[in-house]
Amino acid sequence: MRADRPALELDAVGLQIGGARILRDVTMQVATGEMVGVIGPNGAGKTTLFNIISGVAVPTSGRVLLGGDDVTGQRVHQRARAGLGRTFQTSSVFAGLTAGENVRLAAQARIGGATSPWRFPRADDEASGVALRCLREVGLDHHLGTTAGVLSHGDKRKLEIAMLIATEPQVVLLDEPMAGVGSGDVAGLVEVIRTLHRSGRTVLMVEHHMEVLLGLVDRVAVMHHGELLVIDTPKAVMADPAVQKAYLGESV
Ligand SMILES: Nc1ncnc2c1ncn2[C@@H]1O[C@H](COP(=O)(O)OP(=O)(O)OP(=O)(O)O)[C@@H](O)[C@H]1O
């Protein structure tokens, strides 16, 4: 990654499957340290965009650049090594392992070496140290030994972010981090995402919870029918009559 280039660039990205145009000419630049929210009605192409950025899907046209490097042809693990991390809409924690073991596995994936959590790791080995630091960053260090499956949805989301941090990404994609989270857990999770961003990471976030999204991000990208309609500050996007009328509805 080159420091003088945007952390993430999409250059006329398109995806056509059979006769269907899923994405059309999506161009955007996300500066290093910026947080951008991606919104749009169901089926607008948000998840597909994340899949293309993370390498799960390959665009049929255009380019994806990370820190100025063209990663369009790179696979998921190569992009992860290049500094890209992602969470998914559905929970990806191992329910039967402890919170600490979950993060330790993520740390081991980056550090390399044996990945079995049942190896009776020394408490002071590198991955265990990383796990504790990451759990502390999301405020879950008191759950180090708690089985992940019994955590609340909000704490599971925090645990996923701790697992993400353990892989040391510079660009982070959060796919609906508030999905399934109870109202009592929202404020805590918002703070974790704010900290994730303030620590210098570049964040791209799909989130249907508008109040949360608008309070967190520097800019909002509005997707509609596979196209990027507008990308601007929350204030400018909210004031855009076309956005309000066509994509945000009466409730905003
Ligand atoms: N592999 C595929 N083959 C055919 N159509 C697809 C494929 N993947 C996505 N689509 C279609 O592309 C459109 C965009 O889907 P996508 O899941 O990216 O939207 P989204 O904005 O994330 O929606 P949601 O908010 O519901 O998650 C949808 O109409 C979907 O049915």
Side-chain angles (χ1 to χ4, degrees), residues 208-227:
H208 285 289
H209 196 312
M210 289 298 291
E211 201 183 319
V212 163
L213 183 125
L214 294 173
L216 275 170
V217 302
D218 301 306
R219 289 191 298 158
V220 182
V222 184
M223 299 287 301
H224 185 58
H225 289 323
E227 293 187 56

Side-chain angles (χ1 to χ4, degrees), residues 17 22 40-49 89 176 208:
I17 300 178
I22 312 293
N42 291 339
K46 307 177 295 293
T47 300
T48 305
L49 192 68
Q89 277 175 30
E176 296 193 30
H208 285 289

